[in-house]
Amino acid sequence: MKCEWTYWPLVQFFLPLTATDIAVNIAEQALNRGVTFGEDAVASLAVFGTAYTLIKFCQANLLEFKHVGVVIVHSRRDNVKALVCVFSIAGIIVSLAAVTAYTKLGFYVVNKLFGLNDEVGMTARKCIFYMSVYPLINGVAYLQSGVLLQHKHSTLVAASCLVDVGLQIASIVGLLNSELVSRQPILVPVIAMYVGSLAKLLVVLFGFFKFVFSKLPHTVSTTDTMKTTIPKILWFWWPLALVRMIQVVSRPICNALVAQNLSPELAIQAIAVLTVVYPVGQVCYQWLNDLKPIVPTFLKGQNVQGRHRITPRHIIIFNSVWALGSFLFMLIMFWIPGISIAFLTNVLKLNPEVAEMCVVPLRIFSFMPFPVALRAYLTSWLMLWQQTQVIAPSAFVRLCVLILTLVLLPRVGVNGAPLGIAALLSGFAGEALSLLAATVWVRHRTKKKRRNSESMNSNDLSNGDAIQHEGLLVEQRETSL
């Protein structure tokens, strides 16, 4: 018996996705753990950390092909065109990795930028090349995951991520008992990454060909202006990729500027606290980013679920409830005396002094759900309207507000880890407000064009045709440009 509660389709779609962000965080911790069992664990961590940071930065732009799959891909031909884009960008990443590994440019990028000695730097550069195909595998998986989300198979997408994490952990455990640990310990996490990502890709491809492929037409009959082309795909994708890459570099910039005005001892303490606070706080709100596919998935073409029609009002209430729930959970965890200290000391095994320094940053973190949820909601509408180009300025707004906050707050006595988290919160708020302004501008421009179009068409329509035309406009007004 199907549940006829209006919000059940939204809950059923969203809940599996909340597990994916948590799974990714667990996987990263497992990968770091995989390089600490060698003879020189510090050097191995430095090598893997450097290589993984650069590959993760390059891979960030491919993550946004998930939204290409949600919004742009409507036929098999569209899917092929999107795959061409993924392979082209991944090919550039592989080429850059080869240049980094085997030319002097890599020496300056890796050794000088990260301050590594010749031996560690050379190993890190080779490790970057070993990982260079990893973004391609994930890029294809992200794209096909987006197509699955468009057809509301979020459970399969979540299952693929859980399989990825499970096999990564299992591979690390298995490889730790092999001779590879003593010979080339850096290959342990690299192999685990490939095993997990390939398994994720296979699960996604299975779901795509099993449940979606037969439903996709070979092509979609559209006008030349609405036809999906490779330039159109890239035009939709690049602003989302830019925002993603700015998000990736925000944390290193924040760490660097926080430590700049402190003594070496206090700087180490601040960075250590931020290292603890980031993942703890993100687990409580990061999954709100998965609200982005909801508007394109449920309002494109005014899809109907069961007896109930999902409307923008339903989605506003749904998003608000989740944001408020995240905020209330963080209030309980971080503002009630003793709970956060008990969690940090008993679960994360921090000493009481470090745990005490984490309290204030975590309390600032508790306000993150509001700008994150607002950003996700506004971005989802702009993706539905395929107006992603107006999202790009928000990335620079976030970066400017972040840096400005890091420069100004120390003048009023805010320093250390609280400064870093306050700057991140300010950056999120600035980005959300920028998106709000962009959305209002797009809506205003659209309504103005619609009024002009209606006034022009009214002269050419009979009374009966005008009534029918107006009915169609009313039905489409909420979700189309």
Side-chain angles (χ1 to χ4, degrees):
M1 181 178 178
K2 292 185 177 180
C3 179
E4 293 298 336
W5 181 42
T6 304
Y7 294 94
W8 176 242
L10 297 173
V11 173
Q12 195 176 26
F13 177 84
F14 179 65
L15 272 183
L17 296 179
T18 60
T20 58
D21 286 317
I22 299 174
V24 169
N25 290 330
I26 294 174
E28 290 186 3
Q29 297 301 320
L31 290 174
N32 291 333
R33 187 66 173 164
V35 297
T36 59
F37 287 91
E39 294 181 0
D40 194 351
V42 175
S44 297
L45 277 171
V47 168
F48 179 74
T50 302
Y52 186 69
T53 298
L54 292 174
I55 289 296
K56 188 177 179 181
F57 176 75
C58 294
Q59 179 185 279
N61 59 75
L62 289 172
L63 177 63
E64 296 305 325
F65 273 98
K66 178 174 70 174
H67 298 123
V68 172
V70 172
V71 179
I72 299 293
V73 176
H74 301 296
S75 67
R76 298 176 190 179
R77 181 173 294 181
D78 295 346
N79 195 60
V80 170
K81 291 176 182 177
L83 284 171
V84 169
C85 296
V86 171
F87 275 87
S88 300
I89 295 169
I92 295 173
I93 294 174
V94 172
S95 301
L96 290 175
V99 170
T100 302
Y102 298 109
T103 67
K104 283 194 174 182
L105 178 63
F107 173 80
Y108 291 103
V109 170
V110 177
N111 295 55
K112 295 297 184 181
L113 183 62
F114 289 89
L116 304 178
N117 61 43
D118 291 343
E119 182 180 357
V120 174
M122 186 61 191
T123 307
R125 289 157 60 191
K126 288 183 178 179
C127 187
I128 291 171
F129 185 70
Y130 296 154
M131 294 182 184
S132 60
V133 184
Y134 182 68
L136 170 61
I137 299 171
N138 278 335
V140 177
Y142 292 143
L143 174 63
Q144 304 308 139
S145 295
V147 181
L148 286 173
L149 290 177
Q150 180 187 155
H151 292 266
K152 303 180 180 64
H153 293 291
S154 60
T155 303
L156 270 172
V157 176
S160 68
C161 293
L162 295 177
V163 168
D164 180 8
V165 173
L167 285 179
Q168 282 190 32
I169 296 173
S171 299
I172 289 173
V173 172
L175 290 171
L176 289 178
N177 297 320
S178 67
E179 296 181 356
L180 198 62
V181 175
S182 56
R183 292 182 179 180
Q184 286 188 299
I186 197 62
L187 291 181
V188 172
V190 174
I191 293 173
M193 286 169 58
Y194 277 112
V195 171
S197 61
L198 285 171
K200 177 173 68 176
L201 178 61
L202 289 175
V203 173
V204 169
L205 289 178
F206 168 79
F208 174 74
F209 285 105
K210 176 72 173 177
F211 301 107
V212 176
F213 186 76
S214 60
K215 298 179 182 178
L216 290 177
H218 288 281
T219 186
V220 178
S221 299
T222 57
T223 62
D224 291 338
T225 56
M226 297 297 293
K227 186 178 180 181
T228 299
T229 61
I230 289 178
K232 183 178 179 180
I233 292 172
L234 295 176
W235 182 249
F236 175 88
W237 162 82
W238 79 263
L240 300 173
L242 175 65
V243 170
R244 177 71 63 172
M245 296 179 78
I246 293 294
Q247 290 173 0
V248 171
V249 302
S250 294
R251 178 174 164 180
I253 291 174
C254 183
N255 287 350
L257 292 181
V258 164
Q260 188 176 24
N261 297 322
L262 300 175
S263 65
E265 182 179 352
L266 292 177
I268 292 173
Q269 287 182 354
I271 299 302
V273 171
L274 288 174
T275 303
V276 173
V277 167
Y278 281 138
V280 173
Q282 285 178 338
V283 166
C284 300
Y285 77 85
Q286 195 174 37
W287 45 270
L288 292 172
N289 287 309
D290 290 311
L291 294 168
K292 289 179 183 178
I294 287 182
V295 168
T297 300
F298 286 89
L299 296 186
K300 186 194 300 180
Q302 289 295 294
N303 291 325
V304 177
Q305 296 293 322
R307 299 179 182 176
H308 302 282
R309 182 171 177 263
I310 302 297
T311 66
R313 181 174 177 273
H314 292 133
I315 294 178
I316 290 174
I317 294 173
F318 182 79
N319 288 14
S320 301
V321 167
W322 283 106
L324 185 60
S326 174
F327 173 67
L328 291 177
F329 176 78
M330 296 174 83
L331 280 184
I332 294 171
M333 285 292 298
F334 305 145
W335 286 82
I336 296 179
I339 293 182
S340 58
I341 296 292
F343 173 79
L344 294 170
T345 54
N346 297 328
V347 178
L348 300 185
K349 304 300 181 182
L350 299 180
N351 63 59
E353 182 181 355
V354 175
E356 189 66 38
M357 289 189 290
C358 293
V359 172
V360 173
L362 286 174
R363 288 179 175 176
I364 299 173
F365 244 131
S366 62
F367 297 97
M368 288 286 191
F370 299 114
V372 171
L374 178 60
R375 181 186 67 180
Y377 177 72
L378 297 173
T379 301
S380 64
W381 275 105
L382 293 170
M383 289 194 302
L384 173 65
W385 298 331
Q386 297 187 27
Q387 296 290 313
T388 54
Q389 66 275 9
V390 301
I391 297 176
S394 68
F396 297 105
V397 170
R398 171 178 175 165
L399 192 60
C400 291
V401 172
L402 175 74
I403 295 173
L404 194 63
T405 306
L406 289 168
V407 171
L408 294 179
L409 283 186
R411 299 184 180 183
V412 295
V414 181
N415 287 292
L419 170 63
I421 304 304
L424 285 177
L425 177 60
S426 300
F428 275 115
E431 183 182 8
L433 291 176
S434 174
L435 284 173
L436 180 60
T439 305
V440 170
W441 178 77
V442 170
R443 291 287 289 176
H444 173 73
R445 184 185 63 177
T446 302
K447 290 180 179 179
K448 185 176 180 180
K449 287 182 178 180
R450 184 182 292 123
R451 284 195 298 267
N452 293 337
S453 176
E454 289 175 0
S455 62
M456 292 177 61
N457 290 336
S458 62
N459 297 326
D460 301 325
L461 291 171
S462 64
N463 290 337
D465 291 336
I467 293 173
Q468 182 180 7
H469 180 67
E470 180 64 21
L472 290 172
L473 287 173
V474 170
E475 182 180 357
Q476 296 174 356
R477 184 167 292 139
E478 288 180 324
T479 59
S480 67
L481 286 178

